């Protein structure tokens, strides 16, 4: 049998074949191009625009060479002679080192003093002298191997001297002296033989231990050990800045970082554990010295290291300065001392330190503030989430104080400084928001785009061009006009050159383009934007700069942070002071009112710069409303007062706010508050939950009237949806009692029918009203234990079908679901539900006959509602009647037969899969054409 695929499958197959042909053609063309290139003589240089990374590109080092064909595997190249030589030298040096160690540890005792001295002198001098000879002969790798051997021999010499000549000497002290001598020896050796790479890094490693081991051997206190570590770190920093060779600098940088971290850790530990301010002075001096060393290194360090040094210096200064007053105050207030010290670091913007170091110090200041705020989070979380425990015992009585209502076990005395921390941070952010233009002028040199360079040694504020407010800086906030040629215009040169292009300056688009401004050379701050009208892709450094937040966004973030932290400070202050319960409830409600006023005022101002403030105020107001509402659940009077005030506040805010999301949120919050008040009313009247359900529907009814008044206003839909959720809550409350459930469903149907009067709500609310009325009828019949529901449903079904028939005669295009669906469902579905529990055969038989007639009428007149409803009821009714026999047959069949039948069915469906899909599509189309 020939299989003819459907058009869609055949079209997909043709597309795949055409794609394969295109791919084969491209492969042949590539092969042709390679053959043509192979026949041409090799070009001396690569063709302009050739992309070496493309497929079939010439091999590196062979400009213009033909590309290899696809699938070409290059032959394996033999190992380079230099690589083989390095392997051999490494193995040889390793074997000699093992032999020297074995000789020193094992065979040393069998020789006299003369033999020992001769062997040591001969082998060590020979190992040290051989690299010089080898370097003159050009054998650098061999010289490196022997230098490594000499290094091991000098260490073994030191061990041998201690074991024979000075066995009673303290091990740590001898190690410190030996490390210092060896470090000096290898430094001189490395400087004498400058071509060797190993001696100087080895000397740096050995130089890490003399001071540390010397202080340890002398039994010095921890502070002296810290000074020894810091002195070693300073030495490493000097070597990292002025040392010879990359290996030496990297080794010194790693060693200096470890030693500096250890020294600062010692100073911090001593400062924190000091018994008083005087005891914190000495560790503070150690920390300040470390900070000074880090800042001194930042003058010549590269950009990343300069910023890291600024961070370390800032943290060390905070630990040193804040540790002195922290040792004199109670433990709960120590964080405030460190916070003030961290905030004082912001004065660094007025100094002449390198720009990257200043940025690092500011990062340290921000880290200190963030750490202080994180310490206040547990208390604030307890204030916000603690009232959740009141849900289990609503209206149990007013507690004595705020903490009793929270039910938290936090040590509130240890959080005494947390409100002050939040308040100080909020005040600073608020000040930054208020005086943002002045702050931008001060920070303009710091945030200006800088030319890429290897170091950060230039002070950002040095010179007239770098000072705040200097004319010609190109900083709008600084009050100066942009210097000619610095704005990124065509023909502009480097900043401050008056449009004269700097030799070698590269433009944004093409490297080396004459007259193009150097990236970041305008001197304008990153938040000032680029050339007016320039697209985002114009300029080499513009995309990276534009990824940073704008000045307006930063100002809005500062205002939003001030609002959040100020609100948290007031909440936490109430818990720390343990104010009376009534004062706490009233205070939280007043805070919500203030936040709503801020949100409404800022939302109506229309200023983009403050867009973050109203949004944050709105979010915080909602969180505060939830917290205040939960807190008020301890007392009946407080619950009515708080939720009444919140409902009024949000309703007033929705009236005052402009059109938009804020107004809808306010209206939804007011609706939720009103719904909660109706629930409180039912509880006050001592009504059971199902008896209070009709009372809860009062707010949904008001939302329906409100929606009819607003009609197409954007606020109407959110308010009506919130009312619908309130109606759903009422239905949930009425579920335990069937008569009340029927009543609530009927009332919900009335509300849905009222909403369906409006044309824009009719498509959804109309069907919902019909479904609710039918469901209410069924529930009422079930609650009344009616055994013959047809006596109640047929008087409804017959008039409904007559009305539907008249509707169809007047409008033949009307849907059968609208005309006949409610009437048929009113009888068929309740009868089906009763038939499934009816042990007799008469009802299922009559229901099956009626469903069959309805199905045939639907198929005859092409009515979708009749066909689907009748067919579904007929199928379920037949399944109910056949179920006992199916169970008996299934029990009598062998257990292997059902899987076999299932497999056979799958095989049949798979073999005729395309035909079944076409049948399903035809059935779907046929149903879709029905009315």
């Amino acid at each position: 049998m020939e299989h003819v695929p459907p058009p869609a499958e055949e079209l997909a197959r043709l597309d795949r074949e055409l794609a394969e042909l295109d791919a084969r053609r491209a492969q042949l063309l590539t092969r042709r191009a390679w053959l043509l290139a192979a026949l041409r003589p090799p070009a001396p240089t690569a063709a302009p625009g050739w992309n070496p990374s493309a497929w079939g590109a010439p091999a590196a080092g062979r400009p213009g060479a033909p590309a290899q064909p696809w699938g070409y595997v290059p032959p394996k190249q033999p190992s380079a002679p230099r690589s083989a030589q390095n392997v051999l030298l490494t193995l040889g040096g390793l074997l000699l080192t093992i032999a020297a160690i074995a000789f020193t540890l094992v065979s040393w005792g069998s020789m006299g003093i003369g033999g020992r001295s001769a062997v040591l002198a001969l082998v060590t001098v020979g190992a040290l002298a051989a690299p010089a000879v080898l370097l003159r002969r050009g054998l650098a790798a061999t010289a490196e191997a022997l230098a490594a051997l000499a290094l091991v021999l000098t260490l073994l010499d030191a061990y041998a001297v201690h074991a024979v000549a000075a066995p009673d000497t303290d091990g740590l002290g001898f190690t410190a002296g030996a490390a210092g001598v060896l470090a000096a020896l290898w430094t001189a050796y490395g400087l004498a033989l400058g071509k060797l790479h190993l001696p100087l890094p080895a000397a740096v490693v050995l130089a890490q231990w003399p001071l540390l081991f010397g202080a340890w051997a002398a039994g010095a206190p921890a502070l002296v050990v810290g000074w020894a570590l810091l002195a070693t770190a300073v030495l490493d920093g000097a070597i990292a800045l002025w040392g010879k060779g990359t290996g030496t600098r990297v080794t010194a940088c790693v060693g200096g970082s470890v030693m500096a971290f250890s020294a600062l850790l010692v100073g911090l530990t001593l400062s924190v554990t000091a018994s008083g301010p005087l005891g914190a002075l000495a560790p503070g001096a150690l920390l300040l010295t470390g900070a000074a060393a880090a800042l001194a290194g930042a003058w010549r360090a590269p950009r990343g290291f300069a910023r890291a040094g600024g961070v370390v210096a800032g943290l060390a200064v905070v630990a040193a300065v804040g540790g002195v007053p922290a040792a004199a105050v109670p433990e709960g207030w120590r964080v405030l001392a460190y916070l003030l010290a961290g905030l004082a670091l912001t004065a660094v913007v007025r100094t002449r330190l390198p720009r990257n170091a200043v940025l690092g110090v500011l990062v340290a200041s921000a880290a200190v503030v963030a750490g202080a705020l994180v310490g206040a989070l547990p208390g604030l979380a307890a204030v916000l989430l603690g009232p959740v425990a009141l849900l289990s015992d609503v209206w149990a009585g007013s507690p004595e104080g705020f903490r009793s209502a929270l039910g938290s076990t936090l040590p509130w005395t240890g959080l005494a400084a947390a409100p002050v921390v939040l308040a100080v941070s909020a005040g600073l952010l608020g000040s930054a928001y208020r005086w943002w233009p002045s702050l931008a002028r001060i920070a303009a040199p710091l945030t200006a785009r800088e030319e890429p360079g290897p170091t950060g040694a230039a002070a950002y504020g040095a010179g007239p061009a770098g000072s705040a407010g200097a004319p010609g800086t190109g900083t709008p906030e600084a009050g100066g006009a942009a210097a000619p040629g610095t704005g990124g215009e065509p023909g502009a040169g480097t900043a401050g050159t008056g449009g004269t292009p700097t030799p070698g300056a590269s433009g944004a688009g093409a490297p080396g383009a004459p007259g193009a401004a150097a990236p970041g050379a305008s001197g304008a701050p990153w938040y000032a934007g680029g050339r007016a009208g320039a697209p985002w892709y114009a300029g080499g450094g513009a995309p990276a700069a534009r990824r940073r937040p704008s000045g307006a966004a930063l100002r809005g973030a500062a205002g939003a942070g001030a609002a959040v932290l100020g609100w948290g400070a007031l909440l936490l202050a109430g818990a720390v002071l343990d104010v009376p319960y009534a004062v706490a409830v009233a205070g939280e409600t007043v805070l919500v009112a203030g936040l709503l006023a801020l949100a409404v005022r800022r939302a109506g101002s229309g200023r983009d710069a403050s867009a973050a403030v109203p949004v944050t105020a709105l979010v915080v107001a909602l969180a505060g409303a939830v917290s205040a509402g939960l807190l008020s659940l301890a007392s009946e009077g407080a619950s009515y007062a708080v939720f009444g005030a919140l409902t009024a506040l949000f309703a007033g805010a929705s009236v005052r706010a402009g059109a938009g999301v804020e107004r809808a949120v306010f209206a939804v919050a007011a609706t939720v508050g009103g719904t909660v008040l109706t629930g409180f009313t039912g509880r006050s009247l001592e009504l059971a939950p199902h008896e209070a359900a009709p009372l809860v529907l009062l707010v949904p009814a008001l939302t329906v009237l409100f929606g009819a008044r607003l009609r197409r206003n954007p606020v109407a839909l959110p308010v009506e949806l919130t009312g619908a959720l309130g109606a759903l809550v009422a239905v949930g409350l009425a579920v335990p009692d069937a008569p009340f459930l029927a009543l609530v469903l009927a009332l919900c149907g009335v509300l849905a029918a009222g909403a369906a009067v409006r044309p824009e709500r009719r498509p959804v609310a109309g069907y919902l009203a019909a479904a609710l009325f039918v469901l209410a009828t069924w529930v009422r019949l079930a609650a009344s234990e009616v055994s013959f529901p047809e006596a109640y449903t047929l008087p409804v079904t017959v008039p409904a079908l007559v009305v539907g028939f008249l509707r169809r005669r007047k409008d033949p295009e009307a849907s059968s679901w609208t005309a006949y669906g409610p009437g048929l469902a009113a009888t068929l579905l309740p009868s089906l539900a009763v038939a499934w529990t009816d042990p007799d055969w008469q009802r299922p038989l009559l229901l099956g006959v009626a469903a069959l007639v309805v199905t045939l009428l639907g198929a005859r007149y092409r009515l979708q509602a009749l066909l689907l409803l009748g067919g579904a009821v007929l199928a379920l009714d037949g399944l109910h009647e056949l179920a006992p026999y199916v169970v008996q047959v299934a029990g009598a069949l062998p257990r292997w037969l059902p899987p076999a039948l299932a497999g056979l069915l799958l095989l049949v469906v798979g073999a005729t899969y395309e035909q079944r899909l076409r049948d399903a599509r035809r059935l779907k189309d046929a149903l879709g054409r029905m009315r």
Side-chain angles (χ1 to χ4, degrees):
M1 181 178 67
E2 183 179 359
H3 174 66
V4 179
E9 182 180 354
E10 187 175 0
L11 179 61
R13 184 181 300 173
L14 291 176
D15 291 339
R16 287 194 299 270
E17 293 179 357
L18 290 174
E20 292 174 358
L21 291 175
D22 292 340
R24 178 59 179 167
R25 185 174 183 274
Q27 183 179 359
L28 293 176
L29 289 174
T30 304
R31 177 65 179 176
R32 181 178 180 275
W34 181 84
L35 293 174
L36 290 176
L39 294 176
R40 297 193 190 101
T45 57
W50 187 274
N51 183 10
S53 62
W55 173 70
R62 297 181 57 195
Q68 299 295 343
W70 183 82
Y72 172 76
V73 179
K76 293 184 178 180
Q77 300 293 335
S79 300
R82 181 69 62 182
S83 301
Q85 181 187 20
N86 292 336
V87 172
L88 294 176
L89 290 174
T90 302
L91 291 176
L94 181 61
L95 292 175
L96 287 176
T97 302
I98 294 174
I101 294 173
F103 172 77
T104 304
L105 297 179
V106 178
S107 303
W108 186 260
S110 61
M111 300 180 64
I113 186 64
R116 298 173 186 177
S117 302
V119 169
L120 278 175
L122 179 63
V123 176
T124 304
V125 171
L128 290 173
V133 179
L134 294 173
L135 287 176
R136 285 196 298 268
R137 295 176 177 269
L139 302 175
T142 308
E144 290 285 354
L146 288 180
L149 176 62
L151 173 63
V152 177
L153 288 175
T154 53
L155 296 176
L156 294 175
D157 290 342
Y159 166 77
V161 169
H162 178 264
V164 176
D168 298 329
T169 307
D170 179 63
L172 286 176
F174 183 84
T175 303
V181 172
L182 290 178
L185 173 63
W186 279 99
T187 300
Y189 187 75
L191 293 176
L193 301 178
K195 294 183 179 180
L196 293 178
H197 300 287
L198 181 62
L200 289 179
V204 173
V205 174
L206 292 171
Q208 308 301 309
W209 312 113
L211 294 179
L212 176 61
F213 285 168
W216 196 355
L223 184 62
V224 177
V225 175
W227 281 106
L229 291 171
L230 183 59
T232 306
V234 171
L235 176 62
D236 289 332
I239 296 173
L241 291 175
W242 295 289
K244 181 181 177 181
T246 304
T248 305
R249 293 179 178 179
V250 170
T251 306
C253 184
V254 173
S257 300
V258 175
M259 292 297 174
F261 176 78
S262 303
L264 295 178
L265 184 61
V266 170
L268 178 62
T269 304
L270 295 176
S271 177
V272 172
T273 58
S275 58
L278 295 178
L281 289 176
L286 174 62
L287 293 171
L288 288 177
T289 306
L295 290 178
W299 286 93
R300 292 182 56 87
R303 177 182 305 174
F305 289 95
R307 294 186 181 181
V311 173
V312 173
L315 295 177
V317 168
V318 170
V321 177
V324 176
V329 297
E331 184 177 357
W333 292 91
R334 291 184 177 181
V335 64
L336 189 59
Y338 292 108
L339 175 64
L340 295 177
L343 294 175
L345 291 179
T346 55
V348 75
V349 298
R350 291 294 192 180
T351 63
R352 298 175 62 85
L353 288 175
R355 178 180 184 270
N356 293 299
V358 172
L359 290 175
V361 173
L362 293 179
V363 169
S365 176
V368 172
V369 176
L373 294 178
V374 168
L377 286 181
L380 187 58
V383 172
L384 293 176
L385 302 179
V388 176
L390 296 175
L391 290 173
S392 60
D393 196 7
V394 178
W395 295 355
S398 301
E400 296 180 359
F402 193 9
R403 298 181 192 173
S404 301
L406 298 179
S408 176
T409 58
L410 284 177
W412 293 104
T413 55
L415 297 173
V420 182
V421 170
L422 295 176
V424 171
S425 303
L428 290 175
L429 290 177
S431 301
Y433 177 80
R434 173 64 179 83
W435 291 286
W436 184 262
S438 301
L439 182 63
R441 285 195 297 270
I442 295 174
L446 186 64
T447 57
R449 301 172 188 166
E450 63 175 353
E451 293 187 28
T455 65
Y460 77 93
S467 59
T473 58
T475 306
E477 287 79 356
T486 63
E489 299 291 343
T494 310
T497 60
T500 304
T502 301
S506 61
S522 65
W526 51 267
Y527 53 81
R531 173 164 47 94
W536 58 269
Y537 50 81
R546 291 179 186 274
R547 284 194 294 267
R548 299 179 178 179
S550 63
L554 289 177
R555 183 181 186 183
V564 174
L565 295 179
W567 169 71
L570 293 175
L571 285 182
L572 196 54
V576 170
L577 297 176
D578 196 16
V579 297
Y581 173 75
V583 175
V585 172
E588 290 201 16
T589 308
V590 171
L591 286 178
V592 173
L595 290 169
L596 289 178
L598 179 62
V600 171
R601 184 170 65 88
R602 291 294 182 183
S605 62
R607 293 189 298 175
D608 294 337
S610 303
V613 176
V615 175
T616 305
L618 173 59
V619 174
V620 176
L622 292 175
V626 173
S627 177
L630 292 175
L631 186 63
S632 68
L633 295 179
S635 171
E636 181 178 1
S639 299
Y640 277 107
V642 169
F643 277 95
L646 293 176
T647 303
L649 288 173
F650 280 106
S654 66
V655 174
R656 293 293 303 274
V661 178
E662 295 87 355
R663 188 175 187 181
V665 172
F666 291 145
V668 167
T671 305
V672 172
T675 305
V676 175
L677 283 175
T678 57
F680 287 163
T681 304
R683 184 178 179 87
S684 298
L685 296 176
E686 298 182 356
L687 299 177
H690 63 274
E691 295 174 340
L695 189 61
V696 177
L697 292 176
L698 179 61
V699 174
L702 294 177
T703 59
V704 172
L705 297 177
F706 185 71
R709 175 69 176 82
L710 294 179
R711 290 191 174 274
R712 297 188 182 274
N713 192 294
V715 180
L717 181 59
V719 170
E720 290 182 87
L721 290 177
T722 308
L725 291 178
L728 187 61
V729 171
V731 172
L733 293 175
V735 165
D737 190 270
F740 268 94
L741 178 60
L743 174 62
V744 171
L745 290 172
L747 293 176
C748 292
V750 172
L751 297 179
V757 174
R758 297 154 53 195
E760 66 273 11
R761 299 286 186 263
R762 189 170 300 156
V764 175
Y767 288 109
L768 181 60
L772 289 172
F773 282 132
V774 172
L775 187 59
T777 303
W778 297 344
V779 173
R780 180 68 260 184
L781 294 176
S784 301
E785 299 181 356
V786 174
S787 57
F788 294 96
E790 294 81 6
Y792 299 92
T793 58
L794 285 176
V796 177
T797 296
V798 174
L801 294 178
V802 172
V803 172
F805 177 75
L806 296 177
R807 170 75 184 279
R808 288 275 301 172
R809 287 187 60 183
K810 183 178 180 181
D811 183 14
E813 298 298 325
S815 174
S816 61
W817 289 101
T818 306
Y820 304 117
L824 290 174
T827 295
L828 291 178
L829 297 182
S831 299
L832 178 64
V834 175
W836 270 69
T837 59
D838 193 349
D840 296 330
W841 58 271
Q842 292 88 353
R843 185 188 301 276
L845 177 61
L846 295 176
L847 179 61
V849 171
L852 178 61
V853 172
V854 171
T855 304
L856 294 176
L857 289 176
R860 171 65 180 82
Y861 294 102
R862 305 183 63 81
L863 298 176
Q864 190 180 96
L866 275 68
L867 180 63
L868 293 182
L869 274 176
V873 172
L874 180 61
L876 292 175
D877 186 63
L879 178 63
H880 172 264
E881 293 302 310
L882 294 176
Y885 305 102
V886 172
V887 172
Q888 293 179 3
V889 171
L893 292 176
R895 293 189 176 184
W896 57 266
L897 188 58
L901 293 177
L904 181 62
L905 177 62
L906 292 177
L907 288 176
V908 173
V909 172
T912 60
Y913 180 71
E914 297 293 338
Q915 181 64 35
R916 300 286 79 78
L917 285 180
R918 288 195 293 270
D919 294 343
R921 293 192 189 99
R922 283 197 296 268
L923 178 60
K924 178 183 177 181
D925 295 339
L927 289 175
R929 288 191 296 269
M930 292 183 177
R931 300 303 302 171

